[in-house]
PDB file of all heavy atoms in Angstrom:
ATOM      1  N   LYS Z  15       7.670  24.811   9.480  1.00  0.00           N
ATOM      2  CA  LYS Z  15       6.809  24.606  10.641  1.00  0.00           C
ATOM      3  C   LYS Z  15       6.293  25.940  11.160  1.00  0.00           C
ATOM      4  O   LYS Z  15       7.054  26.877  11.361  1.00  0.00           O
ATOM      5  CB  LYS Z  15       7.608  23.898  11.744  1.00  0.00           C
ATOM      6  CG  LYS Z  15       6.914  23.912  13.103  1.00  0.00           C
ATOM      7  CD  LYS Z  15       7.605  23.029  14.125  1.00  0.00           C
ATOM      8  CE  LYS Z  15       7.097  23.327  15.534  1.00  0.00           C
ATOM      9  NZ  LYS Z  15       7.613  22.456  16.568  1.00  0.00           N
ATOM     10  N   GLY Z  17       3.520  25.430  13.532  1.00  0.00           N
ATOM     11  CA  GLY Z  17       2.856  24.965  14.752  1.00  0.00           C
ATOM     12  C   GLY Z  17       2.755  23.452  14.770  1.00  0.00           C
ATOM     13  O   GLY Z  17       3.531  22.746  14.103  1.00  0.00           O
ATOM     14  N   GLY Z  18       1.766  22.970  15.511  1.00  0.00           N
ATOM     15  CA  GLY Z  18       1.627  21.532  15.765  1.00  0.00           C
ATOM     16  C   GLY Z  18       1.401  20.686  14.522  1.00  0.00           C
ATOM     17  O   GLY Z  18       1.801  19.522  14.480  1.00  0.00           O
ATOM     18  N   LEU Z  19       0.773  21.271  13.487  1.00  0.00           N
ATOM     19  CA  LEU Z  19       0.518  20.497  12.260  1.00  0.00           C
ATOM     20  C   LEU Z  19       1.817  19.927  11.683  1.00  0.00           C
ATOM     21  O   LEU Z  19       1.883  18.755  11.300  1.00  0.00           O
ATOM     22  CB  LEU Z  19      -0.191  21.394  11.226  1.00  0.00           C
ATOM     23  CG  LEU Z  19      -0.390  20.793   9.839  1.00  0.00           C
ATOM     24  CD1 LEU Z  19      -1.348  19.605   9.880  1.00  0.00           C
ATOM     25  CD2 LEU Z  19      -0.924  21.846   8.858  1.00  0.00           C
ATOM     26  N   ASP Z  21       4.690  19.319  13.196  1.00  0.00           N
ATOM     27  CA  ASP Z  21       5.209  18.251  14.059  1.00  0.00           C
ATOM     28  C   ASP Z  21       4.440  16.966  13.813  1.00  0.00           C
ATOM     29  O   ASP Z  21       5.022  15.887  13.684  1.00  0.00           O
ATOM     30  CB  ASP Z  21       5.016  18.621  15.538  1.00  0.00           C
ATOM     31  CG  ASP Z  21       6.029  19.654  16.002  1.00  0.00           C
ATOM     32  OD1 ASP Z  21       7.138  19.686  15.456  1.00  0.00           O
ATOM     33  OD2 ASP Z  21       5.693  20.428  16.917  1.00  0.00           O
ATOM     34  N   PHE Z 246      11.868  14.687  20.001  1.00  0.00           N
ATOM     35  CA  PHE Z 246      11.647  15.284  21.321  1.00  0.00           C
ATOM     36  C   PHE Z 246      12.158  14.324  22.388  1.00  0.00           C
ATOM     37  O   PHE Z 246      11.385  13.561  22.964  1.00  0.00           O
ATOM     38  CB  PHE Z 246      10.144  15.573  21.536  1.00  0.00           C
ATOM     39  CG  PHE Z 246       9.608  16.642  20.638  1.00  0.00           C
ATOM     40  CD1 PHE Z 246       8.798  16.324  19.557  1.00  0.00           C
ATOM     41  CD2 PHE Z 246       9.917  17.981  20.859  1.00  0.00           C
ATOM     42  CE1 PHE Z 246       8.303  17.326  18.722  1.00  0.00           C
ATOM     43  CE2 PHE Z 246       9.436  18.980  20.024  1.00  0.00           C
ATOM     44  CZ  PHE Z 246       8.628  18.649  18.948  1.00  0.00           C
ATOM     45  N   VAL Z 290       4.334  27.668  26.491  1.00  0.00           N
ATOM     46  CA  VAL Z 290       4.941  27.801  25.158  1.00  0.00           C
ATOM     47  C   VAL Z 290       3.826  27.572  24.155  1.00  0.00           C
ATOM     48  O   VAL Z 290       3.148  26.543  24.207  1.00  0.00           O
ATOM     49  CB  VAL Z 290       6.041  26.732  24.920  1.00  0.00           C
ATOM     50  CG1 VAL Z 290       6.556  26.814  23.477  1.00  0.00           C
ATOM     51  CG2 VAL Z 290       7.188  26.887  25.895  1.00  0.00           C
ATOM     52  N   GLY Z 291       3.611  28.509  23.270  1.00  0.00           N
ATOM     53  CA  GLY Z 291       2.580  28.275  22.266  1.00  0.00           C
ATOM     54  C   GLY Z 291       2.085  29.555  21.647  1.00  0.00           C
ATOM     55  O   GLY Z 291       2.575  30.646  21.944  1.00  0.00           O
ATOM     56  N   ARG Z 292       1.099  29.384  20.770  1.00  0.00           N
ATOM     57  CA  ARG Z 292       0.508  30.559  20.135  1.00  0.00           C
ATOM     58  C   ARG Z 292      -0.202  31.399  21.181  1.00  0.00           C
ATOM     59  O   ARG Z 292      -0.787  30.870  22.128  1.00  0.00           O
ATOM     60  CB  ARG Z 292      -0.509  30.121  19.076  1.00  0.00           C
ATOM     61  CG  ARG Z 292       0.131  29.479  17.855  1.00  0.00           C
ATOM     62  CD  ARG Z 292      -0.897  29.151  16.789  1.00  0.00           C
ATOM     63  NE  ARG Z 292      -1.746  28.027  17.147  1.00  0.00           N
ATOM     64  CZ  ARG Z 292      -3.067  28.062  17.226  1.00  0.00           C
ATOM     65  NH1 ARG Z 292      -3.722  29.198  17.014  1.00  0.00           N
ATOM     66  NH2 ARG Z 292      -3.768  26.985  17.532  1.00  0.00           N
ATOM     67  N   GLN Z 296      -7.963  30.784  21.439  1.00  0.00           N
ATOM     68  CA  GLN Z 296      -8.125  29.331  21.668  1.00  0.00           C
ATOM     69  C   GLN Z 296      -7.353  28.841  22.881  1.00  0.00           C
ATOM     70  O   GLN Z 296      -7.772  27.940  23.604  1.00  0.00           O
ATOM     71  CB  GLN Z 296      -7.657  28.570  20.415  1.00  0.00           C
ATOM     72  CG  GLN Z 296      -7.670  27.054  20.596  1.00  0.00           C
ATOM     73  CD  GLN Z 296      -6.798  26.319  19.582  1.00  0.00           C
ATOM     74  OE1 GLN Z 296      -6.499  26.822  18.505  1.00  0.00           O
ATOM     75  NE2 GLN Z 296      -6.386  25.110  19.917  1.00  0.00           N
ATOM     76  N   LYS Z 297      -6.202  29.447  23.120  1.00  0.00           N
ATOM     77  CA  LYS Z 297      -5.293  28.929  24.139  1.00  0.00           C
ATOM     78  C   LYS Z 297      -5.601  29.461  25.541  1.00  0.00           C
ATOM     79  O   LYS Z 297      -4.874  29.177  26.488  1.00  0.00           O
ATOM     80  CB  LYS Z 297      -3.845  29.263  23.748  1.00  0.00           C
ATOM     81  CG  LYS Z 297      -3.429  28.683  22.394  1.00  0.00           C
ATOM     82  CD  LYS Z 297      -3.282  27.171  22.437  1.00  0.00           C
ATOM     83  CE  LYS Z 297      -2.882  26.596  21.086  1.00  0.00           C
ATOM     84  NZ  LYS Z 297      -2.750  25.136  21.091  1.00  0.00           N
ATOM     85  N   LEU Z 319       6.683  31.845  26.416  1.00  0.00           N
ATOM     86  CA  LEU Z 319       7.285  32.009  25.095  1.00  0.00           C
ATOM     87  C   LEU Z 319       6.164  31.838  24.080  1.00  0.00           C
ATOM     88  O   LEU Z 319       5.512  30.786  24.043  1.00  0.00           O
ATOM     89  CB  LEU Z 319       8.363  30.939  24.846  1.00  0.00           C
ATOM     90  CG  LEU Z 319       8.854  30.817  23.397  1.00  0.00           C
ATOM     91  CD1 LEU Z 319       9.553  32.087  22.922  1.00  0.00           C
ATOM     92  CD2 LEU Z 319       9.793  29.607  23.231  1.00  0.00           C
ATOM     93  N   GLY Z 320       5.914  32.861  23.291  1.00  0.00           N
ATOM     94  CA  GLY Z 320       4.837  32.726  22.321  1.00  0.00           C
ATOM     95  C   GLY Z 320       4.771  33.891  21.374  1.00  0.00           C
ATOM     96  O   GLY Z 320       5.389  34.925  21.577  1.00  0.00           O
ATOM     97  N   SER Z 321       4.019  33.678  20.323  1.00  0.00           N
ATOM     98  CA  SER Z 321       3.754  34.794  19.418  1.00  0.00           C
ATOM     99  C   SER Z 321       2.306  34.674  18.982  1.00  0.00           C
ATOM    100  O   SER Z 321       1.716  33.595  19.046  1.00  0.00           O
ATOM    101  CB  SER Z 321       4.685  34.752  18.215  1.00  0.00           C
ATOM    102  OG  SER Z 321       4.516  33.538  17.543  1.00  0.00           O
ATOM    103  N   GLY Z 344       7.873  35.807  20.302  1.00  0.00           N
ATOM    104  CA  GLY Z 344       8.586  35.333  19.119  1.00  0.00           C
ATOM    105  C   GLY Z 344       8.531  33.823  19.047  1.00  0.00           C
ATOM    106  O   GLY Z 344       7.948  33.171  19.922  1.00  0.00           O
ATOM    107  N   TYR Z 345       9.114  33.302  17.987  1.00  0.00           N
ATOM    108  CA  TYR Z 345       9.131  31.852  17.790  1.00  0.00           C
ATOM    109  C   TYR Z 345      10.565  31.375  17.894  1.00  0.00           C
ATOM    110  O   TYR Z 345      11.426  31.834  17.163  1.00  0.00           O
ATOM    111  CB  TYR Z 345       8.553  31.505  16.405  1.00  0.00           C
ATOM    112  CG  TYR Z 345       8.303  30.037  16.261  1.00  0.00           C
ATOM    113  CD1 TYR Z 345       7.040  29.498  16.492  1.00  0.00           C
ATOM    114  CD2 TYR Z 345       9.332  29.162  15.937  1.00  0.00           C
ATOM    115  CE1 TYR Z 345       6.815  28.143  16.405  1.00  0.00           C
ATOM    116  CE2 TYR Z 345       9.122  27.807  15.845  1.00  0.00           C
ATOM    117  CZ  TYR Z 345       7.862  27.303  16.071  1.00  0.00           C
ATOM    118  OH  TYR Z 345       7.636  25.951  15.990  1.00  0.00           O
ATOM    119  N   ASP Z 346      10.862  30.503  18.850  1.00  0.00           N
ATOM    120  CA  ASP Z 346      12.241  30.067  19.070  1.00  0.00           C
ATOM    121  C   ASP Z 346      12.237  28.593  19.476  1.00  0.00           C
ATOM    122  O   ASP Z 346      11.965  28.231  20.615  1.00  0.00           O
ATOM    123  CB  ASP Z 346      12.853  30.931  20.183  1.00  0.00           C
ATOM    124  CG  ASP Z 346      14.339  30.681  20.361  1.00  0.00           C
ATOM    125  OD1 ASP Z 346      14.796  29.554  20.072  1.00  0.00           O
ATOM    126  OD2 ASP Z 346      15.032  31.608  20.805  1.00  0.00           O
ATOM    127  N   GLU Z 347      12.534  27.746  18.492  1.00  0.00           N
ATOM    128  CA  GLU Z 347      12.461  26.287  18.697  1.00  0.00           C
ATOM    129  C   GLU Z 347      13.406  25.831  19.823  1.00  0.00           C
ATOM    130  O   GLU Z 347      13.001  25.108  20.739  1.00  0.00           O
ATOM    131  CB  GLU Z 347      12.829  25.595  17.371  1.00  0.00           C
ATOM    132  CG  GLU Z 347      12.692  24.089  17.361  1.00  0.00           C
ATOM    133  CD  GLU Z 347      11.243  23.593  17.350  1.00  0.00           C
ATOM    134  OE1 GLU Z 347      10.384  24.213  16.709  1.00  0.00           O
ATOM    135  OE2 GLU Z 347      10.980  22.580  18.015  1.00  0.00           O
ATOM    136  N   SER Z 350      12.293  26.902  23.209  1.00  0.00           N
ATOM    137  CA  SER Z 350      11.105  26.154  23.650  1.00  0.00           C
ATOM    138  C   SER Z 350      11.529  24.836  24.302  1.00  0.00           C
ATOM    139  O   SER Z 350      11.010  24.446  25.342  1.00  0.00           O
ATOM    140  CB  SER Z 350      10.142  25.910  22.485  1.00  0.00           C
ATOM    141  OG  SER Z 350      10.600  24.885  21.639  1.00  0.00           O
ATOM    142  N   TYR Z 354      10.669  23.597  28.091  1.00  0.00           N
ATOM    143  CA  TYR Z 354      10.021  22.326  28.448  1.00  0.00           C
ATOM    144  C   TYR Z 354      10.871  21.586  29.483  1.00  0.00           C
ATOM    145  O   TYR Z 354      10.367  21.042  30.457  1.00  0.00           O
ATOM    146  CB  TYR Z 354       9.868  21.420  27.215  1.00  0.00           C
ATOM    147  CG  TYR Z 354       8.776  21.825  26.242  1.00  0.00           C
ATOM    148  CD1 TYR Z 354       9.075  22.218  24.941  1.00  0.00           C
ATOM    149  CD2 TYR Z 354       7.445  21.782  26.616  1.00  0.00           C
ATOM    150  CE1 TYR Z 354       8.084  22.574  24.038  1.00  0.00           C
ATOM    151  CE2 TYR Z 354       6.434  22.131  25.721  1.00  0.00           C
ATOM    152  CZ  TYR Z 354       6.762  22.527  24.432  1.00  0.00           C
ATOM    153  OH  TYR Z 354       5.776  22.881  23.557  1.00  0.00           O
ATOM    154  N   MET Z 362      -1.607  25.002  30.250  1.00  0.00           N
ATOM    155  CA  MET Z 362      -2.334  24.906  28.972  1.00  0.00           C
ATOM    156  C   MET Z 362      -3.836  25.042  29.222  1.00  0.00           C
ATOM    157  O   MET Z 362      -4.574  24.059  29.184  1.00  0.00           O
ATOM    158  CB  MET Z 362      -2.012  23.567  28.309  1.00  0.00           C
ATOM    159  CG  MET Z 362      -1.450  23.729  26.919  1.00  0.00           C
ATOM    160  SD  MET Z 362      -0.902  22.215  26.237  1.00  0.00           S
ATOM    161  CE  MET Z 362      -1.499  22.377  24.567  1.00  0.00           C
ATOM    162  N   GLU Z 367      -9.083  22.240  22.354  1.00  0.00           N
ATOM    163  CA  GLU Z 367      -7.766  21.756  21.948  1.00  0.00           C
ATOM    164  C   GLU Z 367      -7.940  20.464  21.145  1.00  0.00           C
ATOM    165  O   GLU Z 367      -8.198  19.408  21.717  1.00  0.00           O
ATOM    166  CB  GLU Z 367      -6.898  21.514  23.193  1.00  0.00           C
ATOM    167  CG  GLU Z 367      -5.427  21.367  22.919  1.00  0.00           C
ATOM    168  CD  GLU Z 367      -4.823  22.566  22.188  1.00  0.00           C
ATOM    169  OE1 GLU Z 367      -4.572  23.614  22.815  1.00  0.00           O
ATOM    170  OE2 GLU Z 367      -4.624  22.444  20.972  1.00  0.00           O
ATOM    171  N   GLY Z 370      -3.336  18.940  20.826  1.00  0.00           N
ATOM    172  CA  GLY Z 370      -2.330  19.567  21.676  1.00  0.00           C
ATOM    173  C   GLY Z 370      -1.112  18.661  21.739  1.00  0.00           C
ATOM    174  O   GLY Z 370      -1.199  17.508  22.168  1.00  0.00           O
ATOM    175  N   LEU Z 371      -0.002  19.186  21.254  1.00  0.00           N
ATOM    176  CA  LEU Z 371       1.244  18.419  21.334  1.00  0.00           C
ATOM    177  C   LEU Z 371       2.069  18.902  22.511  1.00  0.00           C
ATOM    178  O   LEU Z 371       2.816  18.135  23.118  1.00  0.00           O
ATOM    179  CB  LEU Z 371       2.060  18.604  20.048  1.00  0.00           C
ATOM    180  CG  LEU Z 371       1.391  18.148  18.761  1.00  0.00           C
ATOM    181  CD1 LEU Z 371       2.297  18.405  17.575  1.00  0.00           C
ATOM    182  CD2 LEU Z 371       1.042  16.672  18.840  1.00  0.00           C
ATOM    183  N   ALA Z 372       1.897  20.185  22.840  1.00  0.00           N
ATOM    184  CA  ALA Z 372       2.763  20.789  23.849  1.00  0.00           C
ATOM    185  C   ALA Z 372       2.684  20.038  25.187  1.00  0.00           C
ATOM    186  O   ALA Z 372       3.708  19.835  25.844  1.00  0.00           O
ATOM    187  CB  ALA Z 372       2.400  22.258  24.024  1.00  0.00           C
ATOM    188  N   ILE Z 375       4.800  16.940  24.858  1.00  0.00           N
ATOM    189  CA  ILE Z 375       6.235  17.273  24.879  1.00  0.00           C
ATOM    190  C   ILE Z 375       6.628  17.598  26.328  1.00  0.00           C
ATOM    191  O   ILE Z 375       7.656  17.134  26.832  1.00  0.00           O
ATOM    192  CB  ILE Z 375       6.542  18.478  23.956  1.00  0.00           C
ATOM    193  CG1 ILE Z 375       6.105  18.188  22.528  1.00  0.00           C
ATOM    194  CG2 ILE Z 375       8.029  18.819  24.010  1.00  0.00           C
ATOM    195  CD1 ILE Z 375       6.165  19.397  21.584  1.00  0.00           C
TER     196      ILE Z 375
HETATM  197  P1  ADP W   1      -1.067  24.392  17.968  1.00  0.00           P
HETATM  198  O1  ADP W   1      -2.511  24.622  18.271  1.00  0.00           O
HETATM  199  O2  ADP W   1      -0.321  25.670  17.810  1.00  0.00           O
HETATM  200  O3  ADP W   1      -0.822  23.423  16.856  1.00  0.00           O
HETATM  201  P2  ADP W   1       0.202  22.361  19.632  1.00  0.00           P
HETATM  202  O4  ADP W   1       0.349  22.228  21.098  1.00  0.00           O
HETATM  203  O5  ADP W   1      -0.487  21.237  18.936  1.00  0.00           O
HETATM  204  O6  ADP W   1      -0.497  23.748  19.324  1.00  0.00           O
HETATM  205  O7  ADP W   1       1.654  22.472  18.979  1.00  0.00           O
HETATM  206  C1  ADP W   1       2.416  23.609  19.082  1.00  0.00           C
HETATM  207  C2  ADP W   1       3.844  23.275  18.669  1.00  0.00           C
HETATM  208  O8  ADP W   1       4.502  24.481  18.261  1.00  0.00           O
HETATM  209  C3  ADP W   1       4.666  22.712  19.805  1.00  0.00           C
HETATM  210  O9  ADP W   1       5.725  21.922  19.267  1.00  0.00           O
HETATM  211  C4  ADP W   1       5.229  23.985  20.450  1.00  0.00           C
HETATM  212  O10 ADP W   1       6.396  23.742  21.195  1.00  0.00           O
HETATM  213  C5  ADP W   1       5.532  24.809  19.203  1.00  0.00           C
HETATM  214  N1  ADP W   1       5.485  26.254  19.427  1.00  0.00           N
HETATM  215  C6  ADP W   1       4.386  27.050  19.493  1.00  0.00           C
HETATM  216  N2  ADP W   1       4.730  28.331  19.700  1.00  0.00           N
HETATM  217  C7  ADP W   1       6.091  28.362  19.774  1.00  0.00           C
HETATM  218  C8  ADP W   1       7.056  29.409  19.952  1.00  0.00           C
HETATM  219  N3  ADP W   1       6.683  30.672  20.131  1.00  0.00           N
HETATM  220  N4  ADP W   1       8.369  29.072  19.955  1.00  0.00           N
HETATM  221  C9  ADP W   1       8.734  27.783  19.778  1.00  0.00           C
HETATM  222  N5  ADP W   1       7.881  26.749  19.597  1.00  0.00           N
HETATM  223  C10 ADP W   1       6.566  27.029  19.591  1.00  0.00           C
END
Side-chain angles (χ1 to χ4, degrees):
K15 167 171 166 175
L19 173 66
D21 284 331
F246 293 106
V290 175
R292 290 184 288 122
Q296 175 199 337
K297 301 289 179 181
L319 168 64
S321 58
Y345 191 96
D346 188 331
E347 185 72 37
S350 76
Y354 285 116
M362 236 173 138
E367 195 57 77
L371 299 179
I375 302 171

